[in-house]
Amino acid sequence: KSEEMAKLTQLIDNEVFRAYATYATIVLLKMMLMSLITAYFRITRKAFVNPEDTASFGKGESAKKYLRTDPDVERVRRGHLNDLENIVPFLGIGLLYALSGPELSTALLHFRIFTGARIAHTFAYLIPLPQPGRGLSWAVAYSVTISMAYKVLKMALYL
Amino acid sequence: KSEEMAKLTQLIDNEVFRAYATYATIVLLKMMLMSLITAYFRITRKAFVNPEDTASFGKGESAKKYLRTDPDVERVRRGHLNDLENIVPFLGIGLLYALSGPELSTALLHFRIFTGARIAHTFAYLIPLPQPGRGLSWAVAYSVTISMAYKVLKMALYL
Amino acid sequence: KSEEMAKLTQLIDNEVFRAYATYATIVLLKMMLMSLITAYFRITRKAFVNPEDTASFGKGESAKKYLRTDPDVERVRRGHLNDLENIVPFLGIGLLYALSGPELSTALLHFRIFTGARIAHTFAYLIPLPQPGRGLSWAVAYSVTISMAYKVLKMALYL
């Protein structure tokens, strides 16, 4: 048993894999933060979607007026969905890329640019910055994922 | 070749990894169930979003009235999206956590509480239970993921 | 270090794992394509959701009219969300399935049918094809994921 565990630990000891683990965790924590920001705006803007969430504001019509959409809440939700759409491919393709034996420096470059671009994307979405701020940060992270996908298919292609 | 396969099988023989595989699969099956529940409510409430889905109800105006939103359908869809937002981080961070060499008992505690909390969250959303039922179950699963992320970063940090 | 790297490279040398890496990457690239199709329809239909995205069309009321929903944009977005709901389970369960030591031919069958069905689903959604085209392609991919989940739980169950 401890021999098997040792083999697993070797995976986490590999520097490329450790770099992937680090940046994947950071970018997932960033995505999870969107839930807290949504909750913050829902509470401060008093804009809810589930009737049971407004029960503490009273009954009937007085609570019903808080069942509404708010531009700030919707903006955070769009940023959250965009995270899902882009971070899910990074998680999957990035893991396979990390296992495909890339150079450590190249791998770090990919992971750092992706993570930086997605953090920039969140700021661009929430402030919001004028375009093409958000578009560019999106495109940079997207391109990094495509680059990793190319390497994975080059190394592993088995149709 | 069979030697390589043996090494892979060792991964699935590791108890922490088997526990991760089990709970990740259960929680993903639970998430997939949301698709069936959405379909069930769309059909029983006759509330569709794509014109081609209402073609069997006739043509023109008679079918058009079924292109509408329904509170029950929207509720299941919100639960499904909340699953995506929370189960994706669990999948990624949980995998890295399982590979970071945690104690089996600690790992099982994390996986079991997360899975139980997400199942409770689904019931709280669909029944629906009064708050803070849904909020608490969400927060418990969220905290478990944060705890695993902390362990991963402590073990693997490589920036 | 190079010994560890060798062990990792063995994973990517395993044929079942290479098949998983190939099809997971293809299906993720297909999902990423939905972002580009959404952007294409937003620009050609002039239908945006963020005020900062319409700034290049002028200021005030002249730009405001482009903040609207468009049926084609919404259709692509629904296809994208359906991808997320179905490809995330495939990524997680498929990875665990690939590590559970399946026959290469059986694994290839699962990965190929899933990938083909999801590509068919996208065409069925975007053209759109009359039902049950979209429903069937969805059900086929869903069933493949259930089949892999069954194999994972049979091999790895550890509650």
Side-chain angles (χ1 to χ4, degrees):
Chain A
K1 287 270 126 98
S2 69
E3 210 182 312
E4 281 160 20
M5 198 59 104
K7 258 165 214 156
L8 279 180
T9 317
Q10 283 166 5
L11 195 61
I12 210 81
D13 280 352
N14 175 276
E15 284 173 323
V16 170
F17 195 81
R18 279 177 59 196
Y20 169 74
T22 301
Y23 288 99
T25 302
I26 289 172
V27 91
L28 282 172
L29 288 172
K30 191 225 75 60
M31 186 173 92
M32 290 174 72
L33 187 60
M34 303 306 272
S35 298
L36 295 183
I37 301 176
T38 301
Y40 170 80
F41 277 118
R42 282 205 184 283
I43 291 166
T44 56
R45 266 62 168 168
K46 290 200 169 69
F48 299 90
V49 63
N50 294 300
E52 67 268 27
D53 300 353
T54 61
S56 63
F57 299 119
K59 298 217 170 192
E61 291 308 311
S62 62
K64 227 172 185 175
K65 70 178 173 212
Y66 301 121
L67 293 177
R68 57 188 188 86
T69 58
D70 172 89
D72 291 325
V73 171
E74 296 309 307
R75 183 174 280 278
V76 186
R77 293 183 65 225
R78 288 195 298 276
H80 200 166
L81 186 57
N82 194 280
D83 268 355
L84 267 173
E85 292 168 358
N86 289 280
I87 290 174
V88 164
F90 173 79
L91 280 185
I93 292 170
L95 172 66
L96 299 167
Y97 170 77
L99 296 174
S100 72
E103 287 291 319
L104 175 61
S105 57
T106 317
L108 278 170
L109 200 67
H110 280 82
F111 300 155
R112 284 171 183 161
I113 294 176
F114 181 89
T115 305
R118 290 308 305 179
I119 292 173
H121 182 271
T122 302
F123 279 102
Y125 220 144
L126 297 191
I127 292 177
L129 295 181
Q131 286 285 26
R134 194 181 88 240
L136 271 184
S137 58
W138 174 85
V140 168
Y142 194 90
S143 306
V144 168
T145 310
I146 298 285
S147 166
M148 294 192 302
Y150 172 76
K151 178 81 194 306
V152 169
L153 291 180
K154 209 176 90 176
M155 290 293 289
L157 194 65
Y158 194 100
L159 284 165
Chain B
K1 287 270 129 95
S2 69
E3 211 183 312
E4 282 159 20
M5 199 59 104
K7 258 166 213 155
L8 279 180
T9 317
Q10 282 166 5
L11 195 60
I12 210 82
D13 279 352
N14 175 277
E15 284 173 324
V16 169
F17 194 82
R18 278 178 58 195
Y20 168 75
T22 301
Y23 288 99
T25 302
I26 289 171
V27 90
L28 283 170
L29 288 172
K30 191 224 75 61
M31 187 174 91
M32 289 174 71
L33 188 60
M34 303 306 270
S35 299
L36 296 184
I37 301 176
T38 302
Y40 170 79
F41 277 119
R42 281 206 185 283
I43 291 166
T44 55
R45 266 64 168 168
K46 290 201 168 70
F48 300 90
V49 63
N50 295 299
E52 67 268 28
D53 300 355
T54 61
S56 62
F57 299 119
K59 297 217 168 191
E61 291 309 312
S62 62
K64 227 174 185 173
K65 69 179 173 211
Y66 301 121
L67 293 178
R68 57 189 188 85
T69 57
D70 171 88
D72 291 324
V73 171
E74 296 309 305
R75 183 173 281 278
V76 185
R77 293 183 64 225
R78 290 196 298 276
H80 200 166
L81 186 57
N82 195 280
D83 268 354
L84 267 174
E85 292 169 357
N86 289 280
I87 290 173
V88 164
F90 173 78
L91 280 185
I93 293 171
L95 173 66
L96 300 167
Y97 169 77
L99 296 174
S100 73
E103 286 291 320
L104 176 60
S105 57
T106 317
L108 278 170
L109 200 67
H110 281 82
F111 301 155
R112 284 171 182 160
I113 294 176
F114 181 89
T115 305
R118 290 308 304 180
I119 291 172
H121 182 271
T122 301
F123 279 103
Y125 220 144
L126 297 191
I127 292 178
L129 295 181
Q131 287 284 25
R134 195 182 87 238
L136 271 183
S137 59
W138 173 85
V140 167
Y142 193 90
S143 306
V144 167
T145 309
I146 298 286
S147 165
M148 294 192 302
Y150 172 77
K151 176 82 194 304
V152 170
L153 291 181
K154 209 176 89 177
M155 291 293 288
L157 194 66
Y158 194 100
L159 284 166
Chain C
K1 288 274 125 115
S2 69
E3 210 183 314
E4 281 159 20
M5 199 59 104
K7 258 166 215 154
L8 278 179
T9 316
Q10 283 165 4
L11 196 60
I12 209 81
D13 280 351
N14 175 276
E15 284 173 322
V16 170
F17 194 81
R18 279 178 59 195
Y20 169 74
T22 301
Y23 288 98
T25 302
I26 289 172
V27 90
L28 282 171
L29 288 173
K30 191 225 76 58
M31 187 173 93
M32 290 174 72
L33 187 60
M34 303 307 270
S35 299
L36 296 184
I37 301 176
T38 302
Y40 170 79
F41 277 119
R42 282 205 184 283
I43 291 166
T44 55
R45 266 63 169 169
K46 290 201 168 69
F48 299 91
V49 64
N50 295 300
E52 66 268 27
D53 300 354
T54 62
S56 62
F57 299 118
K59 297 215 170 192
E61 293 308 313
S62 62
K64 227 172 185 174
K65 69 178 172 210
Y66 300 121
L67 294 177
R68 57 187 189 86
T69 58
D70 171 88
D72 291 324
V73 171
E74 295 308 306
R75 182 173 281 278
V76 186
R77 293 182 66 225
R78 289 196 298 276
H80 200 167
L81 185 57
N82 194 280
D83 268 354
L84 267 173
E85 292 169 358
N86 289 280
I87 290 173
V88 164
F90 172 79
L91 280 185
I93 292 170
L95 173 66
L96 299 167
Y97 170 76
L99 296 174
S100 72
E103 286 291 319
L104 175 61
S105 57
T106 317
L108 278 170
L109 200 68
H110 280 82
F111 301 155
R112 283 170 184 163
I113 294 175
F114 181 89
T115 306
R118 289 309 303 179
I119 292 173
H121 182 271
T122 302
F123 279 102
Y125 220 144
L126 297 191
I127 292 178
L129 295 180
Q131 287 285 27
R134 195 182 88 239
L136 271 184
S137 58
W138 173 86
V140 168
Y142 193 90
S143 306
V144 168
T145 309
I146 298 285
S147 165
M148 294 193 301
Y150 172 78
K151 177 81 192 305
V152 170
L153 291 181
K154 209 177 90 177
M155 291 293 289
L157 194 66
Y158 194 100
L159 283 165

